[in-house]
Every structure is written in C-alpha cells, then in structure tokens.
Amino acid sequence: MRFNPVISELKTYEPGKPIEEVVQEYGIAPDAIVKLASNENPHGCSPRAAEAVADSAHLMYRYPDDAMRGLKSGLAARFRVDERQLIVGAGSDQVIEFASRAKLYEGAKILQSEATFAMYAIYADQCGAKVLKAPGIAHDLEAMYDLYQTHAPEIVYLCAPNNPTGDCLERVDVENFIEKIDHDTLVVVDGAYQEYAAFKDPRKALDPAALTAKFPHVLYLGTFSKAYGLGGMRVGYGIADPDIVDALYKVRPPFNVTTLSLVAAEAALGDEAFVKMAIADCFDQMARYEAFAKERGIETIESFTNFITLLLGDVADSTALADALLRRGVIVRDLRGYGLNAIRVTIGRAEENDRFFEVAAEILDSGAS
Ligand code: PMP
C-alpha cells in the first residue's frame, strides 16, 4: 500500500524497553528486572492519586469532562495562570504534537539542540518540516541564535533541563535568548524535569506565569510523568498566551485525556509532600552514581533531572555496556543514537541502584563491554 510520502520514510520513536519484553527475550523473572530507562518516578505516585483513581473507577463508562475543569483549575492555581492559558494533553508529547501541527507545514523548520528530546524532530518530520540542530552536548544558545537568524525557523525548542543529557540552562539565559526571538516564532520551553531543577538550583527554576506574561510567543510544557509519577496515565500540559492555546485547541481531538488520568493528575497536584520526598531521594541517590562514576574514571554531566548521563570515554562502549546490563536484567538507555558514547540511567530506589552498581561493576571489571 502506498502512504503519504512524508511519513513513508519516518522512523518510529524507540521507547525504553518495557519489562515485559525483557522477560520474554531473556527469560528473566519480572521481579529480577530493574528498569532504569524511562525516567519514571521509582517511588510510584502519590497514594492520593491512586486512591482517587480507585474511587472514580465506576466513571469509566462516561466520556471525560472535555473542559477538564478540575485539573485546569488545579493547574491554574498551582502556576498562578488563567485557565485560558492551559491546554492538557495525553502526555506533554501530545502537546508537542499539537504545537507541531498548528505551526508546521511542508518546508517549515524547527530549531533544536543536537542531543535533545527525540519527539520534537519526529513530529517535525511528520509535518514535512526540516530539523535544524545546533551542535554540542549542551544547548549552545549562541549557535542556536546564529541558526535562528540564518533560517528563521517556525519553532525553536529549549529543553530545560535537557533530556538525554540532564544539564539545564539558567533562567536568565533562557529569558535573554527568548527576548531576541521574533514574536511569530513559537518558542517551546520544555520543563518536563523542572521540578527537579527548581529543587536543586533556584537559578534554573522557570516560572511559566512570568515567562508567558513576558513573552507572548512562548509555550511552556510540563508533565505528570516524571516528578508526579504518573507516566502510565499520560497527562501533560502546555501553558501559553490564550492566542497560542486557541490555535493548539484547533488540532486537539476531543476527549484526549481519559477520565481516570484527569482524576489522578488533579489528586497528584494536591500532594506536594510526595513530590518533594521523591525529588530529595533522587538527588541523594544520584550522589551514589556520581561516586561510582568517579571511582571508575567515568565522566558525568551534572544532572538537574531524575537521570544521570555517564560519558564512558574509553572505559567502555555504551552499546556493549547497555546490552550486557540488559542481559542481566538492568535496563538503561544507550545514547549512541545521539552520537554519544554514553548511557543514561534513571535514578531508581536505593535497592535498584544497588543492583545497577553490582551488575555494572561486574561487567566493567570483566572487560565485557
Ligand atoms: N519532554 C521531555 C524532555 C521528556 O523527557 C519527555 C518524556 N520522556 C517528554 C517531554 C514527554 O513526556 P510525557 O509525554 O510523558 O508527558
């Protein structure tokens, strides 16, 4: 069958291997598998969210409240923004899709850093748009600005903190950069890991209310998949000037977020103590990874997220190491596809991290990578 030529050539996004696949492929028992590959919250979610979902299970037969009143009012209060500034998606992935479809067309352009979240380029490709990449592991704002001036892209993506490297731009640099961008260019500021960055370093904390008040061309993205521990519920949101939100609404399918997901996210918003606990533990555990890496001559990038990137240099080959870990039931991300000899490891619970250190040490000591 022939398909739209724009999509025939496309690659599909490769998510972190699910536990089920490792069970099947390697015959490892599910409880012997440690998944540190998708930046989930290893503490699960707030018990309040789980209870709210259980209490609402009987509502499954109804379509969701398409106005998403409960969650929108929670988000509006949390961020001190107007509800007209909010759009909720099935994950922030879906909001990226809305932005792409609202702004891009065949021959349009997006600008991003070279090693950043893969979905920006995937949605751009689907729209037939061109992807411009500023080289470097970290966002090089000068290089990005040069490319912006030369190519006048329709969308510029800033991922702060950045996935898959974990580093984070400072608020002042983000603002100074956006200031120079024309108001007809949509600047997407992806704050998927902002809760972690704001906890660790206030200079990295972005305030979506202030950003969108100052800049009418900014779309800020947040998610419930990381700090709030609701990856399986698929809830993310965009915050922007109402004009941008109205445009994104035009490409949104109705009922795009399920009743139970809305309920879970709303309840999760009300439990900041859970989020703080998870983030504090994440950075405590991250220090163990930094120590492990240092001991073995492996470089790390200072991380403002719930994962850490290990730059393996000549200590190991990332593909071989990720594969050897996988065979032993430890799932991490190989970053070879980003041109890096590095692995990205989501910070797990203490005992999951113990397992990573044990297995990784055995592999590295045996020279099998
Ligand atoms: N942005 C970044 C930077 C991410 O890392 C992710 C998840 N991997 C997302 C957006 C999308 O998250 P979700 O769709 O689960 O909200």
Side-chain angles (χ1 to χ4, degrees):
M1 187 184 286
R2 270 177 296 148
F3 292 98
N4 177 345
V6 164
I7 68 148
S8 326
E9 311 267 297
L10 298 184
K11 284 191 266 164
T12 37
Y13 179 75
E14 263 195 54
K17 258 193 198 297
I19 289 177
E20 294 77 2
E21 202 174 310
V22 180
V23 171
Q24 223 171 31
E25 255 178 58
Y26 301 101
I28 302 171
D31 49 8
I33 293 172
V34 174
K35 185 183 177 210
L36 304 174
S38 298
N39 305 339
E40 293 147 334
N41 187 331
H43 298 282
C45 67
S46 158
R48 286 199 216 169
E51 272 161 35
V53 168
D55 290 347
S56 301
H58 64 287
L59 293 174
M60 255 191 263
Y61 74 107
R62 286 220 187 271
Y63 280 103
D65 168 18
D66 200 43
M68 307 183 189
R69 278 168 260 258
L71 179 57
K72 277 199 179 174
S73 92
L75 285 169
R78 159 84 174 73
F79 290 109
R80 301 172 323 285
V81 295
D82 194 285
E83 288 183 31
R84 290 177 313 133
Q85 288 184 261
L86 293 168
I87 184 160
V88 180
S92 49
D93 272 348
Q94 196 181 35
V95 187
I96 299 168
E97 182 186 5
F98 295 162
S100 308
R101 292 185 52 215
K103 193 72 183 147
L104 302 178
Y105 47 88
E106 222 167 323
K109 295 172 209 136
I110 72 159
L111 171 60
Q112 61 165 57
S113 183
E114 188 176 13
T116 193
F117 186 46
M119 292 312 297
Y120 312 149
I122 288 176
Y123 285 125
D125 285 344
Q126 289 178 8
C127 296
K130 193 171 170 219
V131 180
L132 305 162
K133 296 182 179 177
I137 294 187
H139 280 58
D140 177 342
L141 292 181
E142 270 178 35
M144 286 186 85
Y145 188 62
D146 284 347
L147 285 167
Y148 161 78
Q149 281 192 306
T150 312
H151 298 280
E154 276 66 23
I155 302 181
V156 178
Y157 283 99
L158 299 179
C159 190
N162 187 44
N163 178 13
T165 53
D167 62 308
C168 191
L169 291 165
E170 296 206 354
R171 177 180 48 238
V172 57
D173 295 327
V174 168
E175 291 188 357
N176 289 344
F177 177 82
I178 298 172
E179 184 104 55
K180 296 189 291 187
I181 305 296
D182 182 271
H183 283 192
D184 201 37
T185 303
L186 181 65
V187 184
V188 178
V189 179
D190 188 341
Y193 303 92
Q194 258 296 314
E195 291 85 358
Y196 296 90
F199 180 95
K200 185 167 175 178
D201 184 347
R203 286 171 308 177
K204 315 269 182 184
L206 299 174
D207 174 2
L211 261 187
T212 55
K214 199 161 165 197
F215 303 115
H217 54 324
V218 162
L219 169 63
Y220 175 89
L221 301 179
T223 181
F224 285 91
S225 301
K226 312 297 175 188
Y228 289 92
L230 292 176
M233 299 306 274
R234 313 302 302 123
V235 191
Y237 51 89
I239 303 177
D241 187 274
D243 278 354
I244 294 177
V245 170
D246 288 350
L248 302 194
Y249 253 90
K250 290 185 184 170
V251 295
R252 182 195 73 106
F255 311 118
N256 61 316
V257 181
T258 72
T259 303
L260 296 183
S261 300
L262 291 168
V263 160
E266 191 184 339
L269 259 189
D271 192 355
E272 285 301 322
F274 167 82
V275 172
K276 277 224 174 77
M277 174 281 292
I279 296 176
D281 186 60
C282 166
F283 287 122
D284 285 349
Q285 292 296 318
M286 192 181 288
R288 300 179 62 205
Y289 279 86
E290 287 161 350
F292 175 86
K294 197 167 175 197
E295 222 170 77
R296 294 185 165 266
I298 295 170
E299 240 185 276
T300 54
I301 300 174
E302 187 179 8
S303 171
F304 296 86
T305 64
N306 64 347
F307 59 84
I308 188 159
T309 296
L310 308 182
L311 300 168
L312 297 167
D314 47 20
V315 173
D317 174 81
S318 64
T319 308
L321 177 59
D323 192 55
L325 284 163
L326 184 62
R327 286 170 192 283
R328 304 277 310 270
V330 178
I331 319 173
V332 302
R333 269 299 185 117
D334 175 20
L335 299 186
R336 183 66 70 187
Y338 291 87
L340 301 173
N341 182 33
I343 58 169
R344 190 195 72 187
V345 188
T346 304
I347 309 300
R349 291 190 310 274
E351 63 277 18
E352 296 175 312
N353 302 326
D354 289 344
R355 182 82 187 132
F356 172 87
F357 298 134
E358 180 192 328
V359 176
E362 279 172 23
I363 295 167
L364 292 170
D365 289 343
S366 74
S369 58

